[in-house]
Each structure stands twice: as structure tokens, then as C-alpha cells.
Amino acid sequence: MKKFDDPATSTPSSTGPVSTRDIIISRLADTYLIAAEAYLKSGNSATGLARLNVVRARAGVPNATPAEFNIDYILDERGREMLGEYNRWFDLKRTGTLVARAVQHNYKITSASNFNGNNGAQKILRPIPQTVLDLNQNKNFPQNPAY
């Protein structure tokens, strides 16, 4: 994914041209989508739908309807809008939909059992690198469950 790379870059590297453009940390669309999710979860679907439709209007696509407005619709919209911005895992983890959506949308993950790790615990947290554990061995710093 080279969404923000400069196509006219001339900075050489051993792996090919490298873009030196600034990266985007946060965008207004992200704020609207977070607000849509918060309003939905607080029971104010009408305001949440309005926030989501601001993003859709800017993208030039039809508005979402109240009948289709739910957490899955918001996550689908976030997936389209935030493509390549490295938020996806956090979104799915935060909403508790990581396993279900990975099984549904990733052809390499055939069942939720793909997330089973040590002692049958699910791999919901990412593993802590061994180098970090080694540096903290005297501080009772445990590995995340399932690893």
C-alpha cells in the first residue's frame, strides 16, 4: 500500500525509491467515524448516522440509511475510508469483532480456532517481542495470553 507515497520521488534506497512525504496521523473523517460509533453505542443512532453520512457525502457516495446503520456498517466504512492508515486491527480489537470479521473476510482464516493459542486462549492481544521480555526478566513481565 503506497497511499501517501510521492510518485515523483527520487530518493534512492536499496529497496527502491522512498517517499519522504509527511504521514497523516489523524483526519477529520476519522473523527466523524469515531463519533458515529460513539453515538450508535450511546443509543443516539440518528446523530451517529448523520456523522457517518458526512464522510460518505465527501466521498461522493449515497447516504447510508437508518436500516443499514450498525457497527458492521461503520466498520465497513472505516475500512474503505482509512485503507492503508494502519488503524484496522485497533478498530476490530476495540469493537470486539476481530475474530468474527477475520473469519468472515480473510480467506486464509477458515475458523475462529485459527485464533486459539497456548492453553486454548484466544490470540486477541499481540505477542510481546522476546527481546522486551528478556530486558524485563526481573520485573515479572509476563507474555500476553495465548503466546
Side-chain angles (χ1 to χ4, degrees), residues 74-92:
I74 294 170
L75 289 171
D76 289 345
E77 191 65 32
R78 286 188 68 81
R80 288 184 290 269
E81 183 67 30
M82 311 300 287
L83 178 69
E85 296 182 29
Y86 311 106
N87 298 330
R88 193 65 173 165
W89 185 85
F90 297 105
D91 293 340
L92 298 178

Side-chain angles (χ1 to χ4, degrees), residues 7-123:
T9 187
S10 61
T11 306
S13 80
S14 62
T15 59
V18 176
S19 175
T20 57
R21 281 187 175 173
D22 293 340
I23 61 167
I24 295 172
I25 301 298
S26 185
R27 298 193 293 117
L28 184 57
D30 188 21
T31 305
Y32 274 108
L33 292 169
I34 289 171
E37 182 182 333
Y39 280 117
L40 175 69
K41 289 185 176 186
S42 69
N44 190 345
S45 296
T47 304
L49 179 61
R51 298 298 185 268
L52 181 123
N53 281 332
V54 168
V55 176
R56 292 184 61 79
R58 193 245 350 122
V61 295
N63 282 345
T65 64
E68 58 193 359
F69 183 65
N70 57 33
I71 192 65
D72 286 323
Y73 197 89
I74 294 170
L75 289 171
D76 289 345
E77 191 65 32
R78 286 188 68 81
R80 288 184 290 269
E81 183 67 30
M82 311 300 287
L83 178 69
E85 296 182 29
Y86 311 106
N87 298 330
R88 193 65 173 165
W89 185 85
F90 297 105
D91 293 340
L92 298 178
K93 168 79 173 65
R94 181 186 72 249
T95 58
T97 59
L98 175 65
V99 174
R101 289 180 70 91
V103 170
Q104 182 181 5
H105 298 291
N106 188 330
Y107 70 92
K108 292 183 178 181
I109 299 175
T110 56
S111 76
S113 65
N114 289 95
F115 281 86
N116 290 345
N118 294 340
N119 302 322
Q122 281 200 322
K123 296 177 184 177

